[in-house]
Amino acid sequence: MQETFELVAKNGYKPVVAVLIGSQNYGLDTDKSDIDIKVFVNPTIEQIVNMEKISEVISTEHGQVEVKDIRFLPDLLRKANPSALELLCSQFYTDSPKYMELWLDMRHLLDRYVEVYNKRFVTSLVGHSIQIYERVLNKAERDKSIYIDKQAY
């Protein structure tokens, strides 16, 4: 992840933290899996004044790097969606001792986060699961080599 952190910096951003997301994060990766990383970056003064938020995807030979403005993070956490929980529970990298301490502090607040946003988190998780299920079903309908037992529990 350090290489990704440095790549984002070379693209003109000020990276704060890089977080591993996706199948690699869950130990569900295969030989064909890519590596997906989300990097939160600090905006420039100009971007703050102009109220521009950074959101870009950088493709690499190993996968995608999602570059996000650090100002997105509070809203992402408030939405209580699965990707917010994933961020707090994932492997991460930062080159700043200050940011390391802050990120670890956020991780220690995870229990409180789930407690406060419990209903919103459960609702979001159910919705997310339904979307994934529908995507898998749609793929199975297009690719007849995939079999899904729709009655399985």
Side-chain angles (χ1 to χ4, degrees), residues 133-150:
Y133 178 72
E134 288 172 351
R135 272 191 251 156
V136 169
L137 285 180
N138 288 337
K139 186 174 181 178
E141 288 172 8
R142 289 190 312 273
D143 184 348
K144 299 302 178 193
S145 68
I146 300 173
Y147 172 76
I148 297 176
D149 183 354
K150 295 179 185 177

Side-chain angles (χ1 to χ4, degrees), residues 17-30:
V17 64
V19 184
L20 183 66
I21 57 176
S23 62
Q24 294 266 333
N25 192 39
Y26 310 126
L28 299 174
D29 54 309
T30 66

Side-chain angles (χ1 to χ4, degrees), residues 106-117:
M106 279 195 334
R107 290 177 83 163
H108 291 300
L109 294 173
L110 185 59
D111 289 340
R112 179 76 178 126
Y113 166 76
V114 172
E115 179 183 315
V116 168
Y117 295 111

Side-chain angles (χ1 to χ4, degrees), residues 24-152:
Q24 294 266 333
N25 192 39
Y26 310 126
L28 299 174
D29 54 309
T30 66
D31 300 356
K32 297 178 183 177
S33 296
D34 59 356
I35 300 171
D36 296 316
I37 297 175
K38 187 174 288 198
V39 180
F40 287 97
V41 298
N42 278 325
T44 64
I45 294 297
E46 292 82 17
Q47 289 165 327
I48 293 171
V49 170
N50 294 325
M51 294 187 286
E52 297 171 19
K53 288 199 175 176
I54 303 160
S55 183
E56 179 184 356
V57 175
I58 301 172
S59 294
T60 70
E61 63 183 277
H62 302 294
Q64 292 188 324
V65 178
E66 187 178 353
V67 179
K68 285 283 189 190
D69 194 308
I70 193 74
R71 294 174 291 170
F72 280 118
L73 189 57
D75 289 337
L76 186 60
L77 294 174
R78 268 193 296 281
K79 287 179 184 175
N81 63 24
S83 63
L85 189 61
E86 178 183 28
L87 291 172
L88 294 177
C89 297
S90 299
Q91 295 178 38
F92 70 97
Y93 172 82
T94 182
D95 66 355
S96 164
K98 175 181 156 188
Y99 293 139
M100 173 73 75
E101 185 177 334
L102 289 171
W103 197 261
L104 289 173
D105 285 347
M106 279 195 334
R107 290 177 83 163
H108 291 300
L109 294 173
L110 185 59
D111 289 340
R112 179 76 178 126
Y113 166 76
V114 172
E115 179 183 315
V116 168
Y117 295 111
N118 190 320
K119 184 177 179 184
R120 195 179 302 172
F121 178 71
V122 170
T123 302
S124 179
L125 188 58
V126 168
H128 183 74
S129 299
I130 290 169
Q131 285 179 339
I132 299 272
Y133 178 72
E134 288 172 351
R135 272 191 251 156
V136 169
L137 285 180
N138 288 337
K139 186 174 181 178
E141 288 172 8
R142 289 190 312 273
D143 184 348
K144 299 302 178 193
S145 68
I146 300 173
Y147 172 76
I148 297 176
D149 183 354
K150 295 179 185 177
Q151 305 303 318

